[in-house]
Amino acid sequence: MTTTEMQGATMDTDSTTAVTTDERTELLAELAQARAFLIGTTEGLTDEELGLRPTASSLCLGGLIKHVASTEAAWMRFVTEGTSGMALTLPDGVSWDDLMSGTARTYPQWAIDRQNEFQMLPGDSRESILSEYAAVAARTADVIATACDLSRSTPLPEAPWNEPGASWSVRRVLIHLVSETAQHAGHAEIIRESIDGHTTM
């Protein structure tokens, strides 16, 4: 390889690295903004108010934040551990149809935990759920900073809401987290306005 070719190769590598770094930074910044919108809906509320369900849905502000934090943590396990990091096992003799219809004779712990995510439980407080969310956000930043390739693809675990045989890249995971967090921030805005008329966006 000539000196010119070597210089060209170096420039191409540096350029690729710069683009990748910028992409990571921008995706994480967009996720951070969506998180900030969601968190902002809880400003000035008591722990009791975070558990209120003032709309026709069963959602409450504290539960939304707990759910979004748990979901983000699960996707980071998917990035670091692969498909097994999000695997959802069912008890013997229980099918997905049983679970989804609410007729399962036994429910897996992950399903019980998921149900609990959507409500403020005894011991939950604004401080505790936001602290946990901050820890999850810091973990996400660390995982994405050390991920070798945002295009690396991993098969999704088997679940009714996942397309059979589909795989997601690290990039797709990040885009999904931005979308889901923003969607729930919108839900939270409606709930907050229903509580005291306050809007944050």
Side-chain angles (χ1 to χ4, degrees):
M1 181 180 287
T2 66
T3 301
T4 301
E5 289 171 333
M6 289 177 64
Q7 289 174 340
T10 301
M11 288 174 64
D12 288 344
T13 300
D14 290 345
S15 175
T16 300
T17 301
V19 170
T20 302
T21 300
D22 288 345
E23 183 180 15
R24 291 171 202 258
T25 301
E26 290 177 2
L27 286 170
L28 287 173
E30 194 67 20
L31 179 55
Q33 183 177 54
R35 286 196 206 100
F37 283 142
L38 176 57
I39 292 169
T41 63
T42 70
E43 289 291 339
L45 294 182
T46 66
D47 296 341
E48 181 180 7
E49 288 171 322
L50 290 182
L52 294 177
R53 296 179 172 84
T55 68
S57 82
S58 60
L59 298 175
C60 66
L61 291 176
L64 276 175
I65 291 178
K66 288 172 62 178
H67 167 67
V68 171
S70 174
T71 299
E72 185 173 323
W75 279 113
M76 288 305 103
R77 289 195 299 274
F78 175 79
V79 171
T80 57
E81 301 171 25
T83 310
S84 64
M86 283 185 80
L88 303 173
T89 57
L90 298 177
D92 290 341
V94 174
S95 69
W96 281 110
D97 286 341
D98 296 332
L99 192 70
M100 300 302 286
S101 66
T103 59
R105 67 173 185 275
T106 306
Y107 286 87
Q109 187 59 48
W110 62 262
I112 297 170
D113 292 341
R114 181 179 173 83
Q115 187 66 30
N116 287 337
E117 286 171 7
F118 284 99
Q119 54 188 318
M120 290 288 282
L121 299 175
D124 284 341
S125 66
R126 182 174 186 272
E127 181 181 0
S128 69
I129 63 177
L130 292 187
S131 176
E132 175 61 24
Y133 198 13
V136 168
R139 170 64 175 160
T140 295
D142 288 343
V143 168
I144 299 306
T146 56
C148 340
D149 181 5
L150 296 185
S151 296
R152 176 175 57 81
S153 190
T154 304
L156 293 174
E158 180 184 353
W161 49 85
N162 289 334
E163 180 185 353
S167 294
W168 275 18
S169 66
V170 177
R171 180 182 294 104
R172 176 68 183 275
V173 167
L174 275 173
I175 292 171
H176 174 71
L177 285 175
V178 171
S179 175
E180 174 150 330
T181 305
Q183 178 186 26
H184 285 312
H187 293 155
E189 182 73 9
I190 293 170
I191 294 171
R192 176 59 190 266
E193 190 170 5
S194 299
I195 292 173
D196 61 5
H198 181 75
T199 59
T200 59
M201 294 185 185

